[in-house]
Amino acid sequence: MRRIAVLTSGGDAPGMNAAIRGVVRCANNQDMEVYGIERGYDGLIKGDIRRMDSRSVSDIIQRGGTILKTARCPEFNTPEGIRKGYEVLRAYGIEGLIVIGGDGSFRGMRDLCTNHKMACVGIPGTIDNDLAYTDFTLGFDTAVNTVLDAINKIRDTMTSHDRACIIEVMGRHCGDIAVYSGLAGGAESIVVPEIPFDIDAICDKMRRNIIKGKASDIIVLAEGVCDCNTLKNMIQEKVDITIRTVKLGYIQRGGTPSMADRVLAARCADRAVNLLKNDIGGRVVGVREGAVIDDDITEALDMERKVNDELYRIASLLSL
Amino acid sequence: MRRIAVLTSGGDAPGMNAAIRGVVRCANNQDMEVYGIERGYDGLIKGDIRRMDSRSVSDIIQRGGTILKTARCPEFNTPEGIRKGYEVLRAYGIEGLIVIGGDGSFRGMRDLCTNHKMACVGIPGTIDNDLAYTDFTLGFDTAVNTVLDAINKIRDTMTSHDRACIIEVMGRHCGDIAVYSGLAGGAESIVVPEIPFDIDAICDKMRRNIIKGKASDIIVLAEGVCDCNTLKNMIQEKVDITIRTVKLGYIQRGGTPSMADRVLAARCADRAVNLLKNDIGGRVVGVREGAVIDDDITEALDMERKVNDELYRIASLLSL
Amino acid sequence: MRRIAVLTSGGDAPGMNAAIRGVVRCANNQDMEVYGIERGYDGLIKGDIRRMDSRSVSDIIQRGGTILKTARCPEFNTPEGIRKGYEVLRAYGIEGLIVIGGDGSFRGMRDLCTNHKMACVGIPGTIDNDLAYTDFTLGFDTAVNTVLDAINKIRDTMTSHDRACIIEVMGRHCGDIAVYSGLAGGAESIVVPEIPFDIDAICDKMRRNIIKGKASDIIVLAEGVCDCNTLKNMIQEKVDITIRTVKLGYIQRGGTPSMADRVLAARCADRAVNLLKNDIGGRVVGVREGAVIDDDITEALDMERKVNDELYRIASLLSL
Amino acid sequence: MRRIAVLTSGGDAPGMNAAIRGVVRCANNQDMEVYGIERGYDGLIKGDIRRMDSRSVSDIIQRGGTILKTARCPEFNTPEGIRKGYEVLRAYGIEGLIVIGGDGSFRGMRDLCTNHKMACVGIPGTIDNDLAYTDFTLGFDTAVNTVLDAINKIRDTMTSHDRACIIEVMGRHCGDIAVYSGLAGGAESIVVPEIPFDIDAICDKMRRNIIKGKASDIIVLAEGVCDCNTLKNMIQEKVDITIRTVKLGYIQRGGTPSMADRVLAARCADRAVNLLKNDIGGRVVGVREGAVIDDDITEALDMERKVNDELYRIASLLSL
């Protein structure tokens, strides 16, 4: 394979730029040309494509977001949209495509592979860590460290006022941001979509802590469970306490990528380029048990993500 | 004067601990004893008082929040509550009191000075920078840098998605956090309570930017104007654009104090202790035109805060 | 087992406090008492021991360094010193000991296990990541992120001046800090103790970059290879270029622990306490292929650490 | 005036990019064209000049270093070099020049003003804060906060080991970085070029602290006094203690500019552009007692900088 393209799709994540840089430089090392596609599948369909070289990815490794931008593209959910995208790639003589994105982006990519025999490889880029086939996704480590910094700041003020606080973090279906940041931040309770939460257990713990003289509990809540004000009202009905809420929102998506996300980006880019070099498509790369792996995309999308029971259990222990 | 006390009151602010440390160490240098009062006026009335020495303020200069804690105390708004507080101070043989807090805390302190001839000195501790007599308050510099970091992160993701965003920051009556962070963060519009905002001007600027190919405007909004969703709806009625919102909330209050806040804390503590050493009360300390100053508390509370026109003007220029 | 002790030994590392907190809280959950030993083996021999409970580890999860302090203790390298330590533990009725430290600390622990049948478990605490049996040690992730932040700052100034710079980082025998930070920071060359370095290759790359118009190469050097000024002179003899040097030194050891280090601390503490609960000693815990593991201490100390070839190779690719 | 140019010269400083952005946008608002000159006076002489517009300064406000780069230029110390520079400006029809730099850069600018009647205005850009006519220079606030972060990290490890440490910071003639960071960081001693240091006083304080059980003193040393190893040896000759040293070096120059530096950059740029708009040259802008000011360049360069006695005195008090 001599000419490949790369795009970012879905929600942006820290480390996407490091991955783009990795793709371009690894491909150049293998004597392959790289084209960058702007705004994901939308730019693909519209032909927003430009040649990239080693220079065009200088000074981006440390930057949040994605220089290729990203956008939603409902049209790519249709066979017609996919066909248009395929034809654009053909028109440029592009033989392989690397997609950096999450679950939804990979589904589009799978259809492009299946319907049109285009060699595609996916790199997992999403802060949610909600892909079952890989232990970690690009942006997750950075996002959790951002949340952790917020928990530190919020704890300062909550401890000073003896106030409890619910911190709502990202994660619609996957509670990993909540579990990792809650464990690392010493949260008193963690509420995630995968595990039914026991409002009485949360309230009991708060009452016990109030009796011990500590009213500044921190509860980390994944957005997929409910809104922070809903949970607040549920607790306030049962415990006589005023609770503050913070919804962290978009600060979780941005920022300079952490070391772990940059290293993961480089490793995934290296593997993705090598697959295409060997004319292998229909794969998604990731990391499992510390090693870079690649899986068949259809199988990968069928796997079921499980919550990290070990961390959830330890977090419960440590907050007693 | 041989024995003084210190308390923190109102919302906590980064630099309060540095100020407590400064008070204790400066007083010890002047052979004065220092007592720390827990939870503001509430702890004063309840007699939650402990002796502090140089060691009890070790390793706190870099910490957010306040080791003396803070709380609301409606009782101290009554003459009876103030009398109780006064009697507790007398019972401990305390001759002077340093109050680290904002506007409301200073009003209580003024009444304690006036009604009972207790020598009191105020140190301005509030992130809002809403005290007219001083150019800066403890915590303001740190809070604005925290907001700035959030703007940087949010801009990453908004630029990647070509999305506009309204960022709601603290400031009920005073727009300084919004003005300073908006100017420093390169915000496209800044909306503050002191200056009537022109919804059409904001919308015009957005339309012009969209035409120029840039749909990722950042609007910084002080909470005293309205809720971020209210402003979002006002704009979306007039411009065909999807706007995101982030309400930064309590992360603005915490965190390691910046250099400027620690230096301000040390300077104010030094001045406050020297006033009490010379049996001078009824004063608030601060900084004006770069120099530490102290003012009569009644006069200080009567001054009217003005928005920083120069910065607001320059921010408008630079965002064109 | 009903009563255990914990100490930190060797160079301090971010995450040691999180591990101490984890040990205390996990043990309390298992109805075991915990004693904290000050200043490592030195405090053990001198009997600097105090009871710890859940409260004594409040508010330490986010702090760098170690609240138990650490010190060198040549006496513990002798059978007599080890015997003294053992007798102190016996005098307190302590049945098990958790040692948080690195290679040297583990050797002392092994001798305590072997000579006196004391049940000991080691938790890997060292920023160097130089223990062969575990993929990561406490403090490594934080230290590399600190180095990365320094590389970002130094690159700003070097790019502005078109200057090359050698950044010397920690790592006497193990180049992991250099490899991970160099890869993540986009360093042009990485020089580590495990791989003989080719001065001509480094110089060739510099010359090629100068010709391309880029004179601001960053070289990351592990201290175990040579001093940064030695390498600078070697290069300057061959290339007509002025090179700056920065030796990062002790800033690499401190700072708030990252999410990864706090999570690793919690997981290791949980395992270590469970081993002792089941009267199992002579083990070191760690993480391999993503899972928490424990190994026989003698076997663990005999393993040989290998440099991460994959990352070193990718770093070379990406810097071309 | 319709056409101006801007360059950065001398050591780079955080906030230079914010100042370039401010110059370009303020000038555009006044219907003036702006040209950017690369690599300071060297690029001026060589004609490395390009037109800049609002877009060319997008997304740089938060970046360290200088996008215009900077370089030494001995040739510009000669009348011949200055004349060449002047002729390049004339050739481009440039009527006014804004120089962002420090003392040396301003001397070149003064000669350009004096010899050739070119209207020049200086903006103070140097982390050292060593210009007498302005209270603060661009980059100083950021640099001191970087040093403060390093002191925090180093204190973690020094406290854990009961070790003293000398931290060498920038400042050849001006000790401001040392004084501000030492006060804010709670350093036990501060050594600066402007105040003769008393080695016996430093040693006495160390001995007193050791007796009190605290051997982890932090000494902040400005590089202009001596090397950190020299001071270390002086102390170790008198006190039986092992002292560590850290020379922070180039990390002090880089990094995202702080709020204060970005606001200062915007204010100075606004004033500088307004001066040129009104055909006024031969001025340097800055900030005094909180207000933006401009001074005659010759007078400004003749002023003598004084150390901040107030802060030095308070730092001594607080470290007792």
Side-chain angles (χ1 to χ4, degrees):
Chain A
M1 201 173 286
R2 293 298 303 276
R3 190 175 293 169
I4 64 172
V6 60
L7 62 79
T8 51
S9 171
D12 67 311
M16 281 186 162
N17 283 327
I20 294 168
R21 176 181 181 269
V23 165
V24 171
R25 299 214 167 162
C26 288
N28 287 353
N29 262 291
Q30 305 256 27
D31 290 319
M32 294 195 285
E33 293 177 357
V34 182
Y35 283 76
I37 299 166
E38 300 252 331
R39 291 174 301 102
Y41 296 124
D42 186 57
L44 172 59
I45 290 174
K46 294 185 178 143
D48 287 347
I49 295 186
R50 56 183 157 106
R51 180 72 191 278
M52 299 184 87
D53 61 13
S54 196
R55 269 290 161 108
S56 42
V57 293
S58 284
D59 198 28
I60 66 165
I61 197 173
Q62 82 284 10
R63 311 194 75 177
T66 159
I67 60 164
L68 288 177
K69 298 201 171 183
T70 176
R72 296 187 64 246
C73 180
E75 191 179 353
F76 207 73
N77 294 332
T78 67
E80 179 57 17
I82 292 169
R83 196 189 49 74
K84 274 199 210 167
Y86 173 70
E87 281 167 10
V88 170
L89 292 172
R90 290 270 305 213
Y92 277 86
I94 290 165
E95 301 161 274
L97 174 67
I98 292 175
V99 171
I100 308 170
D103 191 68
S105 312
F106 283 0
R107 290 184 194 281
M109 187 190 96
R110 182 198 50 196
D111 296 343
L112 183 61
C113 291
T114 319
N115 302 0
H116 299 284
K117 307 290 170 213
M118 171 61 59
C120 298
V121 178
I123 291 177
T126 163
I127 64 165
D128 283 356
N129 210 36
D130 58 354
L131 294 167
Y133 80 93
T134 181
D135 290 345
F136 296 107
T137 57
L138 286 188
F140 175 68
D141 186 73
T142 306
V144 180
N145 277 299
T146 298
V147 173
L148 203 49
D149 183 55
I151 293 178
N152 283 171
K153 288 189 166 72
I154 292 167
R155 196 180 280 284
D156 283 346
T157 191
M158 294 302 144
T159 305
S160 298
H161 287 264
D162 277 328
R163 293 263 186 232
C165 188
I166 300 170
I167 302 176
E168 184 183 325
V169 302
M170 286 189 173
R172 293 205 184 281
H173 307 291
C174 173
D176 276 16
I177 292 180
V179 170
Y180 280 76
S181 67
L183 170 58
E188 275 70 22
S189 296
I190 299 171
V191 184
V192 293
E194 298 95 331
I195 302 176
F197 77 100
D198 180 346
I199 187 72
D200 291 316
I202 294 174
C203 292
D204 278 349
K205 186 182 279 190
M206 293 193 96
R207 288 189 203 101
R208 279 197 308 272
N209 281 336
I210 292 167
I211 290 165
K212 283 193 240 167
K214 180 186 156 210
S216 56
D217 283 22
I218 299 280
I219 299 172
V220 178
L221 167 71
E223 64 181 342
V225 179
C226 64
D227 180 82
C228 51
N229 286 307
T230 306
L231 182 61
K232 170 183 155 172
N233 293 334
M234 289 173 73
I235 299 174
Q236 288 188 164
E237 269 176 31
K238 290 168 180 270
V239 190
D240 181 24
I241 190 173
T242 309
I243 300 177
R244 302 288 188 248
T245 58
V246 181
K247 183 176 173 159
L248 290 181
Y250 290 100
I251 61 166
Q252 297 167 80
R253 285 258 197 89
T256 294
S258 67
M259 176 274 283
D261 278 329
R262 300 192 203 182
V263 168
L264 181 60
R267 296 171 79 192
C268 287
D270 175 65
R271 172 64 64 94
V273 168
N274 277 318
L275 287 168
L276 290 183
K277 181 67 190 171
N278 293 306
D279 299 315
I280 301 170
R283 309 293 289 177
V284 285
V285 302
V287 67
R288 217 149 54 214
E289 296 175 2
V292 173
I293 52 94
D294 57 276
D295 279 336
D296 176 80
I297 183 163
T298 304
E299 288 171 22
L301 287 172
D302 285 346
M303 291 185 199
E304 204 173 326
R305 175 103 200 145
K306 276 176 289 195
V307 76
N308 192 317
D309 290 322
E310 181 202 3
L311 297 195
Y312 188 82
R313 176 185 63 77
I314 297 177
S316 304
L317 278 184
L318 294 184
S319 63
L320 286 179
Chain B
M1 203 172 285
R2 296 295 304 276
R3 189 175 293 170
I4 65 172
V6 60
L7 62 79
T8 51
S9 171
D12 66 313
M16 281 186 161
N17 283 328
I20 295 167
R21 176 180 180 269
V23 167
V24 171
R25 297 212 168 164
C26 288
N28 287 353
N29 263 292
Q30 304 257 26
D31 290 320
M32 293 195 287
E33 291 177 357
V34 183
Y35 283 77
I37 299 167
E38 301 253 330
R39 288 173 304 103
Y41 296 125
D42 187 57
L44 172 59
I45 289 174
K46 294 187 178 142
D48 286 346
I49 295 186
R50 57 184 157 108
R51 181 71 192 281
M52 298 184 88
D53 61 14
S54 198
R55 270 292 162 105
S56 41
V57 294
S58 285
D59 197 28
I60 67 167
I61 198 172
Q62 81 285 9
R63 311 194 74 179
T66 159
I67 59 163
L68 288 177
K69 300 200 168 181
T70 177
R72 296 187 62 245
C73 180
E75 192 180 353
F76 206 74
N77 293 333
T78 67
E80 180 58 14
I82 293 169
R83 196 188 50 73
K84 273 197 210 167
Y86 173 69
E87 281 168 9
V88 169
L89 293 171
R90 288 271 304 212
Y92 276 86
I94 290 165
E95 300 161 274
L97 175 68
I98 292 175
V99 171
I100 307 170
D103 192 68
S105 312
F106 283 2
R107 291 185 193 281
M109 188 189 95
R110 182 197 51 196
D111 296 343
L112 183 62
C113 291
T114 319
N115 300 2
H116 300 284
K117 309 291 172 209
M118 172 61 59
C120 299
V121 178
I123 290 177
T126 163
I127 64 164
D128 283 356
N129 210 35
D130 59 355
L131 293 167
Y133 79 93
T134 182
D135 289 347
F136 295 107
T137 56
L138 287 188
F140 175 68
D141 186 75
T142 306
V144 181
N145 276 300
T146 298
V147 172
L148 203 50
D149 181 56
I151 292 177
N152 283 171
K153 287 190 166 73
I154 292 166
R155 197 180 280 285
D156 283 345
T157 190
M158 294 303 144
T159 305
S160 298
H161 288 264
D162 276 328
R163 293 262 186 233
C165 187
I166 300 171
I167 302 175
E168 183 183 324
V169 301
M170 285 190 174
R172 293 205 183 281
H173 308 290
C174 174
D176 277 16
I177 292 180
V179 171
Y180 280 76
S181 67
L183 170 57
E188 275 69 22
S189 296
I190 298 171
V191 184
V192 293
E194 299 95 331
I195 301 175
F197 76 100
D198 181 345
I199 186 73
D200 291 317
I202 293 173
C203 292
D204 278 350
K205 185 180 281 188
M206 292 193 97
R207 287 189 205 100
R208 279 198 308 273
N209 281 336
I210 292 167
I211 290 164
K212 281 193 241 168
K214 179 187 156 210
S216 55
D217 282 23
I218 299 281
I219 299 171
V220 179
L221 166 71
E223 63 181 342
V225 178
C226 65
D227 180 83
C228 51
N229 285 307
T230 306
L231 182 61
K232 168 183 157 173
N233 292 334
M234 292 173 71
I235 298 173
Q236 289 189 163
E237 269 175 31
K238 290 165 180 273
V239 189
D240 180 25
I241 188 172
T242 308
I243 300 177
R244 300 290 187 246
T245 58
V246 182
K247 183 176 174 160
L248 291 182
Y250 290 99
I251 62 165
Q252 297 167 80
R253 284 260 196 86
T256 294
S258 68
M259 177 274 282
D261 278 328
R262 298 193 205 183
V263 168
L264 181 59
R267 295 172 79 193
C268 288
D270 176 64
R271 174 62 64 94
V273 167
N274 277 318
L275 287 168
L276 290 184
K277 181 68 190 173
N278 293 307
D279 299 316
I280 300 170
R283 310 292 290 178
V284 285
V285 303
V287 68
R288 217 151 52 216
E289 297 174 2
V292 173
I293 51 93
D294 56 277
D295 280 337
D296 176 79
I297 182 163
T298 305
E299 289 171 22
L301 287 173
D302 285 346
M303 291 184 199
E304 206 173 324
R305 175 102 201 149
K306 275 177 290 199
V307 76
N308 192 317
D309 290 323
E310 181 203 5
L311 298 195
Y312 188 82
R313 176 185 62 77
I314 297 176
S316 303
L317 279 183
L318 295 184
S319 62
L320 286 178
Chain C
M1 203 173 285
R2 295 296 304 273
R3 190 174 289 169
I4 65 171
V6 59
L7 62 79
T8 51
S9 171
D12 66 311
M16 281 186 162
N17 283 327
I20 295 168
R21 175 181 180 270
V23 166
V24 171
R25 298 211 168 166
C26 288
N28 287 352
N29 262 292
Q30 306 256 26
D31 291 318
M32 294 195 286
E33 292 178 357
V34 182
Y35 283 77
I37 299 167
E38 301 252 329
R39 289 175 301 101
Y41 296 125
D42 188 56
L44 172 60
I45 290 174
K46 293 184 179 145
D48 287 346
I49 294 185
R50 57 182 157 107
R51 180 71 191 279
M52 299 184 89
D53 61 15
S54 197
R55 270 287 160 106
S56 42
V57 294
S58 285
D59 197 30
I60 67 167
I61 197 171
Q62 81 285 12
R63 311 195 72 177
T66 159
I67 59 163
L68 288 177
K69 299 201 168 182
T70 176
R72 295 188 62 247
C73 179
E75 190 179 353
F76 206 74
N77 295 332
T78 66
E80 180 59 14
I82 292 169
R83 197 187 50 73
K84 274 198 210 167
Y86 173 69
E87 281 167 8
V88 170
L89 292 172
R90 289 271 305 215
Y92 276 85
I94 290 165
E95 300 161 273
L97 175 69
I98 292 175
V99 171
I100 307 168
D103 192 68
S105 311
F106 283 0
R107 291 184 193 283
M109 188 189 95
R110 181 196 52 197
D111 296 344
L112 183 61
C113 292
T114 319
N115 300 2
H116 299 285
K117 308 292 172 209
M118 172 60 60
C120 298
V121 178
I123 291 176
T126 163
I127 64 165
D128 284 356
N129 210 35
D130 59 354
L131 292 167
Y133 80 94
T134 182
D135 290 345
F136 296 107
T137 57
L138 286 187
F140 175 68
D141 185 74
T142 306
V144 180
N145 276 299
T146 297
V147 172
L148 202 50
D149 181 58
I151 291 177
N152 283 171
K153 288 189 165 73
I154 292 166
R155 196 179 281 284
D156 282 344
T157 192
M158 294 304 145
T159 305
S160 298
H161 287 265
D162 278 328
R163 293 263 186 233
C165 187
I166 300 170
I167 302 176
E168 183 183 326
V169 301
M170 285 189 172
R172 294 207 181 281
H173 308 290
C174 172
D176 276 16
I177 292 179
V179 171
Y180 280 77
S181 68
L183 170 57
E188 275 69 24
S189 295
I190 298 171
V191 184
V192 293
E194 299 95 331
I195 302 175
F197 76 100
D198 179 347
I199 187 73
D200 290 316
I202 294 173
C203 293
D204 278 349
K205 184 181 282 189
M206 293 193 96
R207 287 189 204 99
R208 279 198 309 271
N209 281 335
I210 293 166
I211 291 164
K212 283 192 240 168
K214 181 184 155 211
S216 54
D217 282 23
I218 299 280
I219 300 171
V220 179
L221 167 70
E223 64 182 342
V225 177
C226 65
D227 180 82
C228 51
N229 286 306
T230 306
L231 181 61
K232 169 183 157 170
N233 292 334
M234 290 173 72
I235 298 173
Q236 289 188 164
E237 269 176 31
K238 290 168 180 271
V239 189
D240 181 25
I241 189 172
T242 309
I243 300 176
R244 302 289 189 247
T245 59
V246 181
K247 182 176 174 161
L248 291 181
Y250 290 100
I251 61 166
Q252 297 167 81
R253 285 261 196 87
T256 293
S258 68
M259 177 274 284
D261 278 328
R262 298 192 205 183
V263 168
L264 182 59
R267 295 172 80 192
C268 288
D270 175 66
R271 173 64 63 94
V273 167
N274 277 318
L275 287 168
L276 290 183
K277 180 68 190 172
N278 293 307
D279 299 314
I280 302 169
R283 310 293 290 178
V284 286
V285 301
V287 66
R288 218 151 52 215
E289 296 175 2
V292 173
I293 50 96
D294 57 276
D295 280 336
D296 176 79
I297 183 163
T298 304
E299 288 171 23
L301 287 172
D302 284 347
M303 293 183 198
E304 205 172 326
R305 174 105 200 146
K306 276 177 289 199
V307 76
N308 192 318
D309 289 322
E310 181 203 4
L311 298 195
Y312 188 83
R313 176 184 63 76
I314 297 177
S316 304
L317 278 184
L318 294 185
S319 63
L320 285 180
Chain D
M1 201 172 285
R2 295 296 304 274
R3 190 174 290 169
I4 65 172
V6 59
L7 62 79
T8 51
S9 171
D12 66 313
M16 281 185 162
N17 283 328
I20 295 167
R21 175 180 180 270
V23 166
V24 172
R25 298 213 168 166
C26 287
N28 287 353
N29 263 291
Q30 305 257 25
D31 291 318
M32 294 196 286
E33 291 178 357
V34 183
Y35 283 77
I37 299 167
E38 301 252 332
R39 289 174 302 99
Y41 297 124
D42 188 56
L44 172 60
I45 289 174
K46 295 185 178 144
D48 287 346
I49 294 185
R50 56 181 157 109
R51 180 71 191 281
M52 298 183 89
D53 61 14
S54 198
R55 268 292 161 105
S56 43
V57 293
S58 284
D59 197 29
I60 68 166
I61 198 173
Q62 81 285 11
R63 310 194 75 177
T66 160
I67 60 163
L68 289 176
K69 297 201 171 181
T70 177
R72 294 187 64 246
C73 180
E75 190 178 355
F76 206 74
N77 294 332
T78 67
E80 180 56 17
I82 292 169
R83 196 188 50 73
K84 274 197 209 167
Y86 173 71
E87 282 168 7
V88 170
L89 292 172
R90 289 272 304 214
Y92 277 85
I94 290 165
E95 300 162 275
L97 174 67
I98 292 175
V99 171
I100 307 169
D103 192 68
S105 311
F106 283 0
R107 291 184 193 283
M109 187 189 95
R110 181 196 52 197
D111 296 344
L112 183 61
C113 291
T114 319
N115 300 3
H116 300 284
K117 307 289 173 214
M118 173 59 61
C120 298
V121 178
I123 290 177
T126 162
I127 64 165
D128 283 356
N129 209 34
D130 59 354
L131 292 167
Y133 79 94
T134 182
D135 290 345
F136 296 107
T137 56
L138 286 187
F140 175 68
D141 185 73
T142 306
V144 180
N145 276 300
T146 298
V147 172
L148 203 49
D149 181 56
I151 293 178
N152 284 171
K153 287 189 167 73
I154 292 167
R155 196 179 281 284
D156 282 345
T157 191
M158 294 303 146
T159 305
S160 298
H161 287 265
D162 278 327
R163 293 261 187 234
C165 187
I166 300 170
I167 302 175
E168 183 183 325
V169 301
M170 287 191 173
R172 293 205 183 283
H173 308 289
C174 173
D176 276 16
I177 291 179
V179 171
Y180 280 75
S181 67
L183 171 56
E188 276 69 23
S189 296
I190 298 170
V191 184
V192 293
E194 300 95 330
I195 301 175
F197 75 100
D198 180 346
I199 186 73
D200 291 317
I202 293 173
C203 292
D204 279 350
K205 184 181 282 190
M206 293 193 95
R207 287 187 205 101
R208 278 199 307 273
N209 281 335
I210 293 167
I211 290 165
K212 282 194 241 168
K214 180 185 155 210
S216 55
D217 283 23
I218 298 281
I219 299 171
V220 179
L221 166 72
E223 65 182 339
V225 178
C226 66
D227 180 83
C228 51
N229 286 307
T230 306
L231 181 61
K232 169 184 157 171
N233 292 334
M234 290 173 72
I235 298 173
Q236 289 189 164
E237 269 176 29
K238 290 168 180 269
V239 188
D240 180 24
I241 190 174
T242 308
I243 300 177
R244 302 287 188 251
T245 59
V246 181
K247 182 176 175 159
L248 291 181
Y250 290 100
I251 61 165
Q252 296 166 83
R253 286 261 195 86
T256 294
S258 67
M259 178 273 286
D261 278 328
R262 298 193 205 182
V263 168
L264 182 59
R267 296 172 79 192
C268 288
D270 175 65
R271 174 64 64 94
V273 167
N274 276 318
L275 287 168
L276 290 184
K277 180 68 190 170
N278 293 306
D279 299 316
I280 301 170
R283 310 292 289 177
V284 285
V285 302
V287 67
R288 217 151 52 215
E289 297 175 0
V292 173
I293 52 95
D294 57 276
D295 280 335
D296 176 80
I297 183 164
T298 306
E299 288 171 23
L301 287 173
D302 285 347
M303 293 184 199
E304 204 173 325
R305 174 104 200 146
K306 276 177 292 201
V307 75
N308 193 317
D309 289 323
E310 181 204 4
L311 297 195
Y312 188 82
R313 175 185 63 77
I314 296 176
S316 304
L317 277 183
L318 294 185
S319 63
L320 285 179

